Amino acid sequence: MTVFRSAFSYDAAPMRVRFGAGVVAELPEEVVRLGLRRALVLCSPEQEETGQAISRALGAHSAGVLAEARMHVPVEVARRARERAVELDADCCVAVGGGSAVGLGKAVALEHGLPVVAVPTTYAGSEMTPVWGITENGRKRTGRDRRVLPASVLYDPELTVGLPVGLSMTSGFNAIAHAVEALYAPDRSPIISLMAEEGARAMAEALPVVAADGSDLDARTLALYGSWLCGACLGATTMSLHHKLCHVLGGALDLPHAPTHTVLLPYALAYNQDAAPDAVEALRRAWHGQDPARRLWDLSGRLGTPRSLRELGMAEADIERIAEEAVRDPYANPAPVTYEGVAGLLRAAWGGEPPVPG
Ligand code: NAD
């Protein structure tokens, strides 16, 4: 019998989600339903074609396309999006793409009050969180604000078929990382734990099928379903050691976001497993009884994703300073966060050794 041993709070995020192959065709109705008229479509330059297709589908409800979304949301791009929205008489944005496009939509919502409708095409999960980030003069400010939550999210698996397989794998691991850390978060709750277990199950089941055939719509559907659940977990809980390390590695060494998550997750989970028995139990249920950290490491090997920080370009000599930075400020984590522990974790992850619990 699983018993939720600690007291909890749960705030439901006021978001509408539509899910299904072809659902993006219903964007015009969705915009009208929200009491909005004309949307500026935001996407990255690489996805301009998708942005234009969405704009055509919106018909009279499209004000145009701004294909300038980039990682880390430069403030100039957010300002330009607002100016374009005013020029083109838009009263909302539709953000189509991964965390970069959704992040741009959130920045416009935060700074200028324009609501955003999200159409996610990766598994990063930003569309389900109140977390925003804006980069100005080389510094990224981040925060949580309910005003940036999309008014509506349309998950259409057909739009994810073109996501390159390599990116799909690391993006999927990024999603699983949200579920894993939600399962041992200090502010976890029974409903989020259910979503995390199911999200981790769905994503781990879908990824090998997507790896074999990126155009398999059933597998894409399962993966996108998993990413929705995992994103909701990220939005509702406080992340721990794994996310802290990814943040430090990204900031200090500019390591790529999703591959860094992919490499580190088995090691961060192994570090916490003994101190997080409920999370381990949930992940064992989701993943056919196997040791969860080892299961993730095996999965990444099978999927051909990077398995070491060395492969991502980190120098061994950087291990100490990253460990120092990761332990400087205290934060919640199931196992005590010590310099020796984190340096050991980083050494194992740097070399790509099998993860060892504790
Ligand atoms: P991304 O949005 O930068 O997309 C990566 C690349 O893939 C882009 O070139 C994009 O155009 C392309 N792409 C996306 N979907 C595609 C598709 N279906 N077909 C073909 N190409 C496609 O990457 P990401 O990993 O989704 O997002 C990473 C960013 O999001 C980071 O800046 C991260 O900090 C942020 N993020 C924020 C939150 C949050 O809660 N605020 C959560 C997760 C990630």
Side-chain angles (χ1 to χ4, degrees):
M1 182 171 60
T2 303
V3 177
F4 215 81
R5 281 179 266 270
S6 42
F8 62 86
S9 310
Y10 172 64
D11 283 10
M15 298 174 76
R16 177 173 155 82
V17 168
R18 302 205 49 195
F19 190 101
V23 81
V24 79
E26 287 163 46
L27 246 181
E29 289 84 339
E30 201 57 31
V31 168
V32 171
R33 190 181 182 279
L34 294 167
L36 302 166
R37 289 179 299 108
R38 272 159 68 82
L40 176 63
V41 177
L42 306 173
C43 60
S44 70
E46 298 83 6
Q47 281 181 288
E48 181 157 11
E49 230 172 85
T50 307
Q52 294 292 355
I54 298 274
S55 172
R56 282 193 296 278
L58 276 167
H61 298 291
S62 172
V65 177
L66 184 84
E68 294 187 23
R70 279 195 278 135
M71 286 276 267
H72 308 310
V73 192
V75 72
E76 317 79 72
V77 181
R79 289 197 183 123
R80 206 148 48 238
R82 166 62 183 163
E83 284 159 17
R84 294 289 288 155
V86 171
E87 280 163 31
L88 298 167
D89 186 29
D91 59 358
C92 63
C93 294
V94 168
V96 187
S100 298
V102 173
L104 176 57
K106 286 173 155 183
V108 177
L110 181 76
E111 304 242 302
H112 309 293
L114 286 194
V116 57
V117 174
V119 183
T121 64
T122 72
Y123 308 135
S126 173
E127 68 283 353
M128 293 307 294
T129 86
V131 179
W132 57 267
I134 299 176
T135 304
E136 189 164 16
N137 300 326
R139 283 199 57 226
K140 188 167 179 177
R141 290 182 288 129
T142 58
R144 292 178 88 94
D145 193 313
R146 283 198 159 210
R147 283 177 300 170
V148 309
L149 281 174
S152 185
V153 182
L154 277 74
Y155 285 102
D156 189 334
E158 285 178 0
L159 294 179
T160 63
V161 166
L163 185 65
V165 164
L167 246 170
S168 304
M169 298 303 112
T170 53
S171 192
F173 261 80
N174 187 187
I176 293 174
H178 307 328
V180 164
E181 293 230 290
L183 282 167
Y184 54 60
D187 44 5
R188 64 191 179 279
S189 62
I191 194 152
I192 291 300
S193 295
L194 284 169
M195 290 168 103
E197 183 175 330
E198 173 67 355
R201 180 201 67 77
M203 190 58 84
E205 187 178 326
L207 288 181
V209 191
V210 172
D213 178 5
S215 65
D216 185 317
L217 193 58
D218 285 347
R220 287 292 190 179
T221 302
L222 188 61
L224 197 60
Y225 162 71
S227 84
W228 162 47
L229 295 174
C230 295
C233 295
L234 173 68
T237 55
T238 306
M239 299 284 108
S240 299
L241 177 64
H242 170 76
H243 278 76
K244 174 75 178 181
L245 280 173
C246 290
H247 186 80
V248 171
L249 285 163
L253 305 176
D254 208 21
L255 295 196
H257 178 79
T260 306
H261 274 277
T262 308
V263 169
L264 274 184
L265 188 59
Y267 301 97
L269 179 55
Y271 188 94
N272 280 327
Q273 274 190 180
D274 287 350
D278 293 349
V280 170
E281 197 181 312
L283 292 170
R284 278 189 188 277
R285 274 194 304 270
W287 296 337
H288 314 293
Q290 293 171 13
D291 173 82
R294 183 64 196 225
R295 163 85 164 100
L296 278 177
W297 191 77
D298 288 344
L299 182 65
S300 69
R302 197 170 143 207
L303 299 176
T305 62
R307 274 216 284 197
S308 67
L309 293 173
R310 179 174 39 190
E311 276 169 85
L312 301 185
M314 180 180 176
E316 193 172 10
D318 283 325
I319 289 176
E320 273 83 33
R321 79 174 167 112
I322 296 296
E324 271 162 26
E325 202 173 326
V327 301
R328 193 167 300 144
D329 305 314
Y331 46 90
N333 191 64
V337 177
T338 63
Y339 171 81
E340 292 72 25
V342 171
L345 183 167
L346 287 170
R347 261 191 297 278
W350 186 83
E353 297 156 19
V356 181

